Amino acid sequence: MNYFSSNFKLGILGGGQLGKMLLNDTRKFDIYTCVLDSSNEAPCKIASNEFHLGDLMNYDAVYNFGKQVDVLTIEIENVNVDALEALEKEGVKVYPASKTLRTIQNKATQKLFYVDNNLPTAPFSRFAYTSEINEAINHGGLTMPFVWKCSQFGYDGTGVKIVKTLQDLEGLPNVECIAETLVPFKNELAVIVVRTASGDIKTFPVVEMEFHPEANQVEYVICPARIPKEVAKKATEIALKTSKAFNHIGLLAVEMFQTQNDDILINEVAPRPHNSGHQTIEASYTSQFEQHLRAILDLPLGRTDNKVGGVMVNLVGAEGYTGNVVYKNIETIMEMDGVTPHIYGKKQTRPFRKMGHVTIVNENLNEARRIAEAVKKSIKVISE
Amino acid sequence: MNYFSSNFKLGILGGGQLGKMLLNDTRKFDIYTCVLDSSNEAPCKIASNEFHLGDLMNYDAVYNFGKQVDVLTIEIENVNVDALEALEKEGVKVYPASKTLRTIQNKATQKLFYVDNNLPTAPFSRFAYTSEINEAINHGGLTMPFVWKCSQFGYDGTGVKIVKTLQDLEGLPNVECIAETLVPFKNELAVIVVRTASGDIKTFPVVEMEFHPEANQVEYVICPARIPKEVAKKATEIALKTSKAFNHIGLLAVEMFQTQNDDILINEVAPRPHNSGHQTIEASYTSQFEQHLRAILDLPLGRTDNKVGGVMVNLVGAEGYTGNVVYKNIETIMEMDGVTPHIYGKKQTRPFRKMGHVTIVNENLNEARRIAEAVKKSIKVISE
């Protein structure tokens, strides 16, 4: 099919910042796009050819939207998977596949998938209800500390808690969950794998992530990761194996731990453009968004190596501020070398809300990292 | 003014491909944009916050549109300058200034501006009507060959003709025109200068242009130009001087000839993002579009040097094809290293119509140039 000059329609489930950045590339290639989102204020409301209002978790909304497009993709995992399955049966190309999303949407199922496919991940126990954990501890079947994770709909740090004492369990929702061994790690790494319908496969360089200690959100993404070659090789191989195990089409971001012994353990995956790949817009030969588009349209993949070193800083709402957003000192950071702010267009800020990101690129990665710190110290996302 | 989180509105006159690429950056910064264009099929119809239909040469259309915005810019020179002048008087920030546009819109006035400001340009004679040229030749006041240029509204090769014999004059419109000495040149060069309202000024690297011999349209733009350092320095200095002479705010693309003696002569200028700067999207630390935005919003300018070498190939409609466009072999070029097609979204092709461009980036400029030739040989813009 000739995507560039026909009646082809691409559907995107979700109209947030990831969709917004994806639309830059659909616009670049003049691909006709339809976006479904529940908010009339969604960042994708402009730049898509058609914007449809609807609940992504509603079967009919997703099904009826999907029937109008040729290829359907997502920018958020929390969508109605039954509708995707019905659409697949009726010939719509759905990337990622409904089966993959069903596996990933539930953290217990996702972990079992790694075990079944001989992919390394931290040991864990599955519980139908959080309340069962106390009993497991009492019987010696589980020892603290461990990481409690809600099985369903965890996203960016919500639904995750480190449990060191019994008190930490108090107040947690009584839902299906897992208790994962707390792995002391040197680094959190991520590799984005891209695979086309024809089976062409490539990986972006391994990135290194630094998390905000309280918000459990990424603070810096450093590309390429400053790790030994053999560790990068191992992480890349595991990411490739994961993409193949899912028979995945499109982007798959594989988040991993590098343990004290330099073992690699998969933390979790995201089957879409991902926060750990934003620096590819400025640093890589091909951005993750363009690459996702190439993959799901079965076009040849672009180069995945870096032009220059890249560091990404998330712009999250400062603590203590809720209301109409103000990007304090944005002019200050724009004076710095190789700094590009990306503002997602959300009008309201609140503590830790992702409002944008800043990319810092430099031929010298250490210099980029130094400037990133200056960026982090200067800019503040506050309210009026 | 805080552009990133207020009621600020940016107006853009013209909704073509340059505006479309500029909108990528207004979207990135979440700048609210209003676009005026006469075509309901304009590439900027989506991605702008407000799209207004109207004739860019009509006083009322431009004035009424401009009254609604805080900063007004252009993506095409052919707009109603009287309206801009009125808007300036009423406090709208208009970049480029109406005075600059008035000078540039008329090629004779533009040439006189260079002479008045001691800026080097090829010798020329001005004629109220083309019919007066014959007389000048007969009286020995003008010798062939020379370049005939229509004073008004010349754009991309229309309104320009090399006159070698009297026959070449036949069929030319009887309008105000200039006859310019035909300069034997080694290279056509261009430098994009960017200047903010506060007077910060930067230049992008000198680029080298190769023109299609018949269509008089750029075939390749090579960045940086493969010329001696001292020639690049001279071209850059002249470009800087030109921007300052206009007291220009925003981008100014200065097209120049490098003569056989390595003199630099200004050919013409464009006070906006320009075809000779498209490769900055992938090759430069800051794209020309982002830089224009930074300049007219009086934000700090970004780095203008290259991350990697860049070559740009225009995608123009092939001869013999008119109708619904097809980009033949686009998949073939997307397999090549560092190749990014930009499709402008015009549905109809015709011979030599600008339909898009392709950027080729590589750490080795010669390799980029080699791949650019392969791109040129593969892709063809034809009709169904």
Side-chain angles (χ1 to χ4, degrees), chain A residues 78-376:
Chain A
N78 300 337
V79 299
N80 190 294
V81 178
D82 293 332
L84 296 187
E85 200 177 329
L87 290 164
E88 281 167 346
K89 283 181 187 149
E90 295 177 31
V92 178
K93 288 174 183 169
V94 180
Y95 306 129
S98 62
K99 198 182 159 193
T100 301
L101 270 179
R102 216 183 277 283
T103 303
I104 289 172
Q105 278 185 348
N106 184 296
K107 282 191 183 162
T109 322
Q110 193 184 137
K111 292 282 283 187
L112 289 169
F113 179 86
Y114 302 140
V115 174
D116 289 348
N117 285 277
N118 204 20
L119 291 160
T121 192
F124 70 103
S125 306
R126 185 182 189 175
F127 297 94
Y129 298 97
T130 306
S131 56
E132 295 176 1
I133 291 182
N134 270 297
E135 210 177 324
I137 294 172
N138 292 337
H139 287 81
L142 185 66
T143 49
M144 294 181 283
F146 59 84
V147 186
W148 173 90
K149 291 182 180 175
C150 168
S151 290
Q152 294 280 358
F153 288 20
Y155 186 67
D156 280 339
T158 62
V160 175
K161 189 169 185 188
I162 294 174
V163 176
K164 291 177 183 166
T165 68
L166 286 175
Q167 271 111 330
D168 290 331
L169 282 169
E170 285 168 23
L172 289 179
N174 195 24
V175 292
E176 190 197 339
C177 59
I178 61 172
E180 194 179 77
T181 302
L182 186 64
V183 180
F185 56 82
K186 278 187 197 168
N187 274 309
E188 293 208 39
L189 308 174
V191 173
I192 293 178
V193 186
V194 59
R195 194 161 164 273
T196 69
S198 303
D200 280 355
I201 191 161
K202 284 192 181 185
T203 55
F204 282 93
V206 184
V207 301
E208 186 187 332
M209 295 185 288
E210 285 181 41
F211 277 68
H212 186 286
E214 289 155 45
N216 197 28
Q217 281 184 320
V218 179
E219 256 200 332
Y220 296 104
V221 171
I222 301 161
C223 182
R226 298 160 300 177
I227 52 172
K229 252 186 193 171
E230 53 274 27
V231 176
K233 190 165 172 268
K234 202 191 286 183
T236 303
E237 279 167 4
I238 288 168
L240 279 167
K241 197 177 162 191
T242 309
S243 170
K244 285 176 190 164
F246 279 114
N247 200 19
H248 189 67
I249 292 165
L251 290 188
L252 187 75
V254 184
E255 294 185 59
M256 291 168 280
F257 299 117
Q258 177 192 357
T259 69
Q260 300 295 348
N261 306 325
D262 286 345
D263 284 331
I264 297 292
L265 297 175
I266 299 172
N267 178 19
E268 59 179 20
V269 299
R272 51 162 173 81
H274 189 251
N275 196 255
S276 67
H278 288 348
Q279 76 292 340
T280 58
I281 297 173
E282 287 86 6
S284 174
Y285 274 91
T286 314
S287 84
Q288 64 166 343
F289 300 98
E290 177 175 334
Q291 205 70 282
H292 184 62
L293 206 56
R294 286 178 179 238
I296 64 175
L297 301 183
D298 207 17
L299 292 165
L301 296 176
R303 281 177 68 169
T304 50
D305 51 330
N306 272 20
K307 293 170 187 163
V308 286
V311 176
M312 193 277 294
V313 175
N314 278 320
L315 285 183
V316 298
E319 284 185 272
Y321 296 91
T322 298
N324 292 333
V325 65
V326 174
Y327 300 92
K328 198 182 160 192
N329 295 332
I330 193 161
E331 290 86 353
T332 312
I333 68 162
M334 287 177 79
E335 268 177 23
M336 299 176 188
D337 259 10
V339 168
T340 307
H342 291 254
I343 306 298
Y344 297 155
K346 301 171 186 177
K347 299 304 167 205
Q348 300 288 312
T349 185
R350 55 174 185 264
F352 303 117
R353 186 177 194 197
K354 276 190 194 168
M355 301 300 287
H357 74 264
V358 181
T359 311
I360 303 96
V361 286
N362 200 288
E363 47 280 35
N364 178 337
L365 184 64
N366 291 329
E367 178 65 4
R369 182 64 183 77
R370 193 192 62 74
I371 296 169
E373 267 184 42
V375 165
K376 190 85 195 165

Side-chain angles (χ1 to χ4, degrees), chain B residues 43-160:
Chain B
C44 288
K45 191 168 179 194
I46 61 172
S48 52
N49 296 78
E50 292 178 24
F51 181 76
H52 298 244
L53 265 179
D55 180 356
L56 298 171
M57 293 306 294
N58 180 283
Y59 182 94
D60 290 337
V62 171
Y63 177 81
N64 292 330
F65 174 78
K67 280 301 281 177
Q68 302 170 56
V69 303
D70 302 283
V71 172
L72 186 60
T73 190
I74 59 157
E75 61 109 48
I76 186 167
E77 288 92 333
N78 300 336
V79 300
N80 190 295
V81 178
D82 292 333
L84 296 187
E85 201 177 327
L87 289 164
E88 281 166 347
K89 281 179 188 151
E90 296 178 30
V92 179
K93 290 174 181 168
V94 181
Y95 307 128
S98 61
K99 197 180 160 196
T100 301
L101 269 178
R102 217 183 275 286
T103 303
I104 289 173
Q105 278 184 348
N106 185 297
K107 282 191 182 162
T109 322
Q110 193 183 139
K111 293 282 283 187
L112 289 169
F113 178 86
Y114 302 139
V115 174
D116 289 349
N117 285 277
N118 203 21
L119 291 160
T121 191
F124 69 103
S125 306
R126 186 182 190 175
F127 297 94
Y129 298 98
T130 307
S131 56
E132 295 176 0
I133 290 182
N134 269 297
E135 210 177 320
I137 294 171
N138 291 337
H139 288 81
L142 185 65
T143 48
M144 294 181 284
F146 60 82
V147 186
W148 173 91
K149 291 182 180 177
C150 168
S151 289
Q152 294 280 358
F153 289 21
Y155 187 68
D156 279 339
T158 61
V160 175

Side-chain angles (χ1 to χ4, degrees), chain B residues 251-297:
Chain B
L251 290 188
L252 187 75
V254 184
E255 295 185 59
M256 292 167 278
F257 299 117
Q258 176 191 359
T259 69
Q260 300 295 348
N261 305 326
D262 287 345
D263 284 332
I264 297 292
L265 299 174
I266 298 171
N267 179 18
E268 60 179 21
V269 299
R272 52 162 171 81
H274 189 251
N275 196 255
S276 68
H278 289 348
Q279 77 291 338
T280 58
I281 297 173
E282 287 85 6
S284 175
Y285 274 91
T286 314
S287 84
Q288 65 167 341
F289 300 98
E290 177 175 335
Q291 205 71 283
H292 184 62
L293 206 56
R294 285 177 178 239
I296 62 175
L297 301 184

Side-chain angles (χ1 to χ4, degrees), chain A residues 5 20 24 27-30 43 46 282 285 294 300 303 307 325 331 334 339 341 343 345 347 363, chain B residues 5 20 24 27-30 43 46 282 285 294 300 303 307 325 331 334 339 341 343 345 347 363:
Chain A
S5 46
K20 178 185 169 182
N24 275 351
R27 292 271 295 146
K28 185 166 78 184
F29 290 167
D30 195 39
I46 61 172
E282 287 86 6
Y285 274 91
R294 286 178 179 238
R303 281 177 68 169
K307 293 170 187 163
V325 65
E331 290 86 353
M334 287 177 79
V339 168
I343 306 298
K347 299 304 167 205
E363 47 280 35
Chain B
S5 47
K20 179 186 168 180
N24 274 350
R27 292 271 293 147
K28 186 167 77 184
F29 290 166
D30 195 40
I46 61 172
E282 287 85 6
Y285 274 91
R294 285 177 178 239
R303 282 177 67 170
K307 293 172 189 162
V325 65
E331 290 86 352
M334 287 178 79
V339 168
I343 306 297
K347 299 305 168 204
E363 47 279 36

